[in-house]
Amino acid sequence: MRALLLAMNKEAAPPFDKGEPVSNGAGLTLRRLGSELIVCVCGVGKVNAALAAQYLIDRFAPGQLWNAGVTGCFHDLPAGTIVAATACVQHDMEIFGDPPGLVPVLDRVELPCADAEDTLARLTAAGFEPVSGIVASGDWFGRDLERAAHIRDHFHALVCDMEAAAAAQVCLRNAVPFRCVKAASDHLFHPSQYEEYQANLPGAVERLAQALCALGLA
C-alpha cells in the first residue's frame, strides 16, 4: 500500500481524481485507487499536510508516502518541468539560537527524500527530462522577492511549496519512506507570478499526473 498526498483537488488530474471515496473523521478527501494506492487531498499548508500524513500512516500503514503538487520556482525552469525532490527544508522554521530551518527532535535542516536517485532515473527513462533539487516549504505564497532570494540562497532550494517538508518530517518520525515529485507552475521572480500560476496550472497538473503514472503510482 502506498499513499499519495496532494494539497488541493485541482492538483489531481486523471486517474488520481478517481477512485472509491473513503470516509474519515479528519476532514480529508480520501479515495482508494485500486488496491494499492490511497489518494489524499489534505488542504493547503504545513499543519494540514502533517495531520494528513500522520492520519495516513496510522490508518493505512503505507509502505511509502508520496507528496506531489505544483510548485513555484526559485530558478528559471520551464513551466511543467518535473522535479524529483532530493530533500525538503522548512524555510519558516526559526528558533532563537538555532540555525534557520533546524527541525527540533530530528535536529536537522534537510529532511531527505527516499530513493531520490531512483525517482530521477525512472522519470528520465520515461522521457520527462526531470531535474532534482531541494523543496523549501513554508506557510507562505512566495510574493516577497527579497525573502524568496534569501530562501533560495540560504537553503540552496530549487522550488518552493507549502506542504512537502511537513509531510517529510512526519514520515521521518514514523520511519516511513517519503518521496516527493513536483511540477513547476510559476516563477517566484516573475512580475506577474500569480497570473503565471493560473495560466500554467492545468498543464502542470496534467504533466504531474503523467509523471506519477510513469513512476507506477497508477
Side-chain angles (χ1 to χ4, degrees), residues 78-177:
T81 297
I82 300 298
V83 177
T86 56
C88 304
V89 299
Q90 295 191 41
H91 67 75
D92 58 354
M93 175 65 75
E94 294 194 20
I95 300 174
F96 181 76
D98 287 345
L102 187 73
V103 176
V105 180
L106 291 173
D107 198 31
R108 61 193 307 161
V109 174
E110 292 190 6
L111 310 176
C113 296
D115 302 316
E117 291 184 0
D118 174 70
T119 301
L120 183 67
R122 291 167 66 185
L123 290 168
T124 300
F128 283 91
E129 299 184 358
V131 296
S132 62
I134 293 172
V135 178
S137 302
D139 288 328
W140 170 74
F141 190 90
R143 304 295 294 273
D144 181 331
L145 299 187
E146 183 176 349
R147 182 176 178 182
H150 170 75
I151 294 167
R152 177 198 63 200
D153 296 341
H154 182 84
F155 294 103
H156 307 290
L158 182 65
V159 295
C160 186
D161 84 334
M162 299 178 70
E163 294 82 28
Q169 179 177 344
V170 171
C171 286
L172 282 172
R173 293 288 297 271
N174 286 274
V176 173

Side-chain angles (χ1 to χ4, degrees), residues 3-50:
L4 173 62
L5 183 62
L6 305 168
M8 302 177 289
N9 283 307
K10 61 185 176 182
E11 291 178 307
F16 302 101
D17 59 345
K18 310 299 182 184
E20 178 186 355
V22 178
S23 62
N24 67 96
L28 303 170
T29 299
L30 295 176
R31 296 185 293 270
R32 189 182 296 273
L33 194 62
S35 61
E36 292 299 320
L37 182 68
I38 292 290
V39 178
C40 174
V41 179
C42 66
V44 172
K46 294 198 309 181
V47 172
N48 284 327

